Amino acid sequence: MSTRRIDTLLAEMTLAEKIGQLCQVQPEGRDQDDRVRAGGVGSLINVVGDDARHYQRLAVEESRLGIPLLLGRDVIHGFATIFPIPLGQAASFDPAGVRDAAATAAREAAAAGVNWTFSPMLDVVRDPRWGRVAESFGEDTLLASRMGAAMVQGYQGEGLAACAKHFVGYGAAQGGRDYAETAIPPRQLRDVYLPPFEAAVRAGALTLMTGFNDLDGIPATANEALVRGVLKGEWLFDGLVVSDWTSITELVIHGCAADDADAACQALLAGVDMEMASRSYRDHLEQAIASGAVPIAYVDDAVRRVLGVKERLGLFDHPFGRLRGPVSAAAADLQPRQMAQRSCVLLKNEDLLPLNEGIGRVAVIGPLADAGADQLGCWVFDADHARTHSVLAGLRERLGAHRVRFEPGLDSCRSHDEQGFAAALDAARAADVVVLCIGEDAGLSGEAHCRAYIDLPGAQQRLLDQLAATGTPVVAVVLSGRPLALAGVIDPARAVLMAWHPGSMGGPAIADLLFGEPPSGRLPMTLPRSVGQIPLYYNHKNTGRPPNPDSPRVPSGTPLDPRGFFSTYLDEDHRPLFPFGFGMSYTQFDYADLALSSPRLEPKGTLHVRMALRNVGARAGTEVVQLYVQDLCGSVTRPVKELKDFQRVTLQPGESRLVELVLAADQLRFTGRDGLSILEPGRFRLWVGPHAQAGLSAEFELAGGGTAPQASAVPPALE
Ligand code: NOJ
């Protein structure tokens, strides 16, 4: 990036001032005044409000060159107003809603002086034990790409720089343990983990953050081939790359840098432009340049990028941001309520939901029924807690307090103390329905908050079992930061709503859904039956011995399965509890008349996939129509299915609509044997359906060779 302003500044800057631009510091109160005045800081992290304005004023008015600061903060799923965790937002399959939520977050953050957020997190995650799955968009590359791009647009449209993180592969932490090493085969890295970042770059993301992870021996923060090579070289990313918190000096602990000076050189040479929190650039870059270990051109390039981001954000002209007007209180409540509604996934409904407004007494039970802070989830530094409405509050508002009896049953979801059970059971017996709010508190997910077991913590399962035994129907509302192993919940509960951590307005949104607002969320991750199945994801390879679909289920605990040499477990079903993309409505949808615009797709062409969707139930509802594709024979093995497009469609009872999904030939690219991206002619199968394990099917041919085109109904893939 080169503009006159940047060229001029660069020509005037001392080496110390240049290095200063590459340093991000977390102040303790106002202890950085002198450094900011001296031009020794390019960015501050975690300063908001008056402190942010104070430091910005110092930088602009009292430093020699008046270069404004980037003021960074983790605005992950809202600022004051908290939206569902990103995993919940992914469940909405609603990129426009995600974009609008990000725009609201940006306006609120900008009003507090923040001009840079460390979001979206684009790590594809196949292991729900990893605590940061809450911050992700789940297991699918296309979903993460679309949601990430939407978030980038939402933030940056309101003047807040986005930061796509963590480049790259951090979500593949082995064992689901945060910061653990990652070992991703190069082809998978290209086809699964990198595309969401490329989509963010194409969407204009101004910044990227490198990960903490060791990626096959080369930590992401020292990975020249990926940062300088792929990101900056291939994708022509011209924004700035920041390290993660002390991830540069951690290169020494990884054991690939001799000391901090070596770590600084490696990171800068790899293409990391700014150092977060640690001080290796500040302490060692000058010497590294003097010794020739780092050419000055690398420093100049990094400084240009930092200044370029500041310029594109408009900070030279409007260092305190442009006045955009506050978010109205009404909008600030409605938007998170709608997003929370769309993020909840109905997993089971045995003739119970929606509840009738005229219902008599409702027992609201469970440690998460009135746990405002927990329903917000992780990363909510700036949340306005006074505006959080719990499930209990939502139901009381809706039904009137006299019809609602609240008994938590357990003091916290991790508790094993069953003293509260008696009162809870008493309330259940006296009620027409139990709304049981169970799951995980906010402290069970997020950075460094991983779990080895992903079932209900504490005595919650026992509470559910005993409540169900009263005979009063139980709706289980599961609030959590990750997919849980819910096999034990599905059977005893008459209805199950997966609500994730739904944010400020989660309570009213859940009340809306229980009383008739149509649920429309779909799973952004496969739900396993048990932790032993992990990693379990829909877009796996077929193997030479796929599980035999005819073999009966093997119940848990069965010691030996004599039924053959297939890719299964002896003691667990190989299938998920619920597949990716799954979610119920209060109505039923019929899929018919699948038609392709052509049985043959040209290499630069687009296939239009049409079908008739009809609401055959008695209530309005929203379906998320999903398009999956399988490459039937490639020069390398290909996944059994990959999501290629989706669309939310709302239909009144009896209404039908012609739905059109789109597949560009380019979406069929993959990384070939030689490591290059190829578009390989041949036969493909597609499905249009409600989730990854169902749908109408047809075949088409990608032109350039292969057999004659033909569209046909085909049997389901072996999974
Ligand atoms: C560490 C986390 O990994 C990263 O996601 C976050 O943005 C930074 N800390 C700053 O808080």
Side-chain angles (χ1 to χ4, degrees):
M1 156 150 315
S2 172
T3 68
R4 239 201 352 245
R5 170 151 41 202
I6 294 174
D7 292 341
T8 310
L9 274 173
L10 209 63
E12 285 179 31
M13 290 170 94
T14 63
L15 181 56
E17 284 166 333
K18 288 181 180 175
I19 293 172
Q21 285 302 308
L22 311 186
C23 299
Q24 185 184 62
V25 176
Q26 171 164 280
E28 298 300 330
R30 301 211 169 160
D31 67 348
Q32 296 297 318
D33 287 14
D34 291 343
R35 279 192 69 202
V36 171
R37 276 197 199 95
V41 182
S43 170
L44 295 176
I45 181 169
N46 293 336
V47 283
V48 289
D50 288 345
D51 284 344
R53 285 181 277 271
H54 162 78
Y55 280 116
Q56 193 64 293
R57 194 191 59 71
L58 282 188
V60 174
E61 294 176 9
E62 298 188 25
S63 72
R64 189 175 77 90
L65 296 170
I67 300 174
L69 295 166
L70 285 170
L71 296 165
R73 184 73 158 168
D74 288 287
V75 182
I76 306 299
H77 50 115
F79 187 78
T81 305
I82 301 299
F83 291 88
I85 53 171
L87 188 62
Q89 294 190 40
S92 73
F93 280 71
D94 178 14
V98 168
R99 182 199 58 213
D100 295 348
T104 296
R107 284 168 88 107
E108 291 182 349
V114 175
N115 53 35
W116 186 13
T117 176
F118 305 116
S119 167
M121 191 183 98
L122 299 178
D123 299 306
V124 170
V125 188
R126 292 171 162 183
D127 189 333
R129 293 173 297 181
W130 192 49
R132 304 200 74 170
V133 67
E135 300 170 57
S136 81
F137 295 117
E139 76 187 34
D140 185 64
T141 300
L142 176 94
L143 190 59
S145 303
R146 291 212 179 153
M147 294 308 196
M151 251 190 193
V152 167
Q153 286 158 358
Y155 291 137
Q156 295 192 173
E158 296 291 339
L160 185 70
C163 182
K165 68 187 188 185
H166 304 84
F167 193 78
V168 57
Y170 177 46
Q174 286 188 0
R177 208 158 34 87
D178 209 359
Y179 317 123
E181 71 177 284
T182 57
I184 306 174
R187 208 182 324 280
Q188 212 178 77
L189 189 68
R190 283 280 181 183
D191 294 345
V192 176
Y193 290 90
L194 280 168
F197 289 93
E198 188 173 5
V201 170
R202 303 275 165 260
L206 289 171
T207 79
L208 264 86
M209 185 188 296
T210 56
F212 285 120
N213 53 310
D214 172 350
L215 182 55
D216 187 24
I218 308 174
T221 297
N223 206 311
E224 189 175 353
L226 290 171
V227 182
R228 207 170 278 290
V230 174
L231 174 63
K232 293 181 173 178
E234 263 180 53
W235 300 346
L236 304 177
F237 173 67
D238 63 358
L240 86 86
V241 177
V242 64
S243 76
D244 203 342
W245 189 276
T246 67
S247 69
I248 297 183
T249 49
E250 285 172 29
L251 296 174
V252 179
I253 309 172
H254 277 292
C256 69
D259 49 27
D260 286 0
D262 184 17
C265 293
Q266 289 196 38
L268 195 83
L269 292 173
V272 178
D273 304 304
M274 182 181 280
E275 177 172 23
M276 182 188 286
S278 47
R279 299 176 16 169
S280 70
Y281 281 10
R282 171 182 163 186
D283 293 345
H284 302 291
L285 275 188
E286 207 159 329
Q287 172 58 30
I289 289 156
S291 71
V294 169
I296 185 70
Y298 280 66
V299 171
D300 285 348
D301 176 64
V303 175
R304 264 183 199 289
R305 288 167 180 273
V306 174
L307 297 179
V309 168
K310 293 179 177 182
E311 177 155 79
R312 283 198 261 170
L313 271 181
L315 293 182
F316 286 103
D317 301 317
H318 302 278
F320 301 95
R322 292 195 187 95
L323 275 185
R324 288 162 202 274
V327 177
S328 78
D333 282 350
L334 188 63
Q335 216 189 359
R337 186 170 181 157
Q338 281 177 343
M339 184 43 93
Q341 285 169 1
R342 290 175 184 195
S343 69
C344 290
V345 184
L346 183 64
L347 296 175
K348 176 183 179 183
N349 186 18
E350 220 175 72
D351 296 329
L352 183 63
L353 299 179
L355 301 172
N356 189 321
E357 290 289 341
I359 194 165
R361 287 149 307 169
V362 177
V364 179
I365 298 176
L368 294 174
D370 195 28
D374 286 320
Q375 79 184 40
L376 299 186
C378 53
W379 293 106
V380 290
F381 298 137
D382 304 287
D384 180 351
H385 289 275
R387 288 198 359 235
T388 300
H389 297 250
S390 68
V391 179
L392 178 64
L395 287 168
R396 279 187 175 149
E397 263 161 44
R398 188 167 194 113
L399 299 175
H402 60 287
R403 285 158 70 194
V404 175
R405 177 167 164 200
F406 171 52
E407 292 294 345
L410 287 161
D411 287 346
S412 84
C413 50
R414 303 188 207 185
S415 169
H416 288 276
D417 179 353
E418 300 185 6
Q419 280 182 51
F421 276 27
L425 293 170
D426 191 48
R429 285 190 201 98
D432 298 295
V433 69
V434 172
V435 176
L436 175 65
C437 298
I438 47 179
E440 296 183 324
D441 59 72
L444 284 172
S445 57
E447 185 178 349
H449 288 69
C450 304
R451 297 183 62 200
Y453 301 98
I454 56 163
D455 35 20
L456 289 174
Q460 295 182 98
Q461 182 69 50
R462 285 174 54 75
L463 179 60
L464 165 60
D465 291 340
Q466 293 187 28
L467 288 168
T470 64
T472 306
V474 176
V475 184
V477 178
V478 181
L479 297 100
S480 73
R482 59 165 58 73
L484 296 175
L486 292 176
V489 175
I490 297 301
D491 285 341
R494 282 266 302 272
V496 180
L497 187 68
M498 185 76 197
W500 318 104
H501 284 141
S504 306
M505 293 301 286
I510 289 166
D512 295 340
L513 293 168
L514 297 182
F515 282 92
E517 179 68 31
S520 59
R522 301 293 184 261
L523 291 175
M525 282 185 85
T526 306
L527 286 198
R529 291 166 197 274
S530 61
V531 76
Q533 294 178 307
I534 294 170
L536 188 70
Y537 48 95
Y538 83 94
N539 48 356
H540 56 84
K541 302 289 186 67
N542 213 14
T543 94
R545 298 189 174 197
N548 180 350
D550 300 326
S551 84
R553 278 167 174 235
V554 184
S556 280
T558 304
L560 257 186
D561 175 19
R563 281 174 288 255
F565 292 85
F566 298 109
S567 181
T568 55
Y569 295 109
L570 294 178
D571 50 2
E572 179 58 285
D573 198 318
H574 65 273
R575 288 168 294 195
L577 189 61
F578 292 101
F580 176 86
F582 178 85
M584 297 170 73
S585 316
Y586 292 150
T587 188
Q588 294 78 44
F589 294 95
D590 179 56
Y591 287 67
D593 303 333
L594 177 63
L596 312 188
S597 54
S598 162
R600 185 180 162 88
L601 177 57
E602 296 302 324
K604 289 196 178 346
T606 302
L607 194 66
H608 296 262
V609 182
R610 303 186 184 104
M611 62 95 205
L613 184 73
R614 185 174 159 83
N615 180 346
V616 293
R619 293 177 171 275
T622 299
E623 177 71 323
V624 179
V625 180
Q626 300 161 41
L627 171 67
Y628 295 90
V629 170
Q630 181 186 23
D631 186 343
L632 290 173
C633 178
S635 54
V636 299
T637 60
R638 306 288 299 126
V640 293
K641 260 178 198 180
E642 290 176 297
L643 184 69
K644 295 296 180 188
D645 196 14
F646 56 85
Q647 205 180 112
R648 287 171 60 91
V649 184
T650 301
L651 294 179
Q652 298 305 313
E655 189 183 350
S656 347
R657 176 134 358 124
L658 190 69
V659 178
E660 181 174 293
L661 299 172
V662 177
L663 176 72
D666 225 42
Q667 289 179 274
L668 302 174
R669 286 187 165 279
F670 62 90
T671 304
R673 290 194 178 204
D674 56 4
L676 298 176
S677 167
I678 46 170
L679 191 57
E680 205 171 69
R683 297 202 61 72
F684 290 78
R685 181 182 295 167
L686 64 77
W687 292 259
V688 178
H691 56 75
Q693 287 187 348
L696 302 175
S697 180
E699 285 189 26
F700 67 93
E701 183 179 344
L702 178 62
T707 54
Q710 134 202 13
S712 65
V714 291
L718 302 181
E719 288 178 0

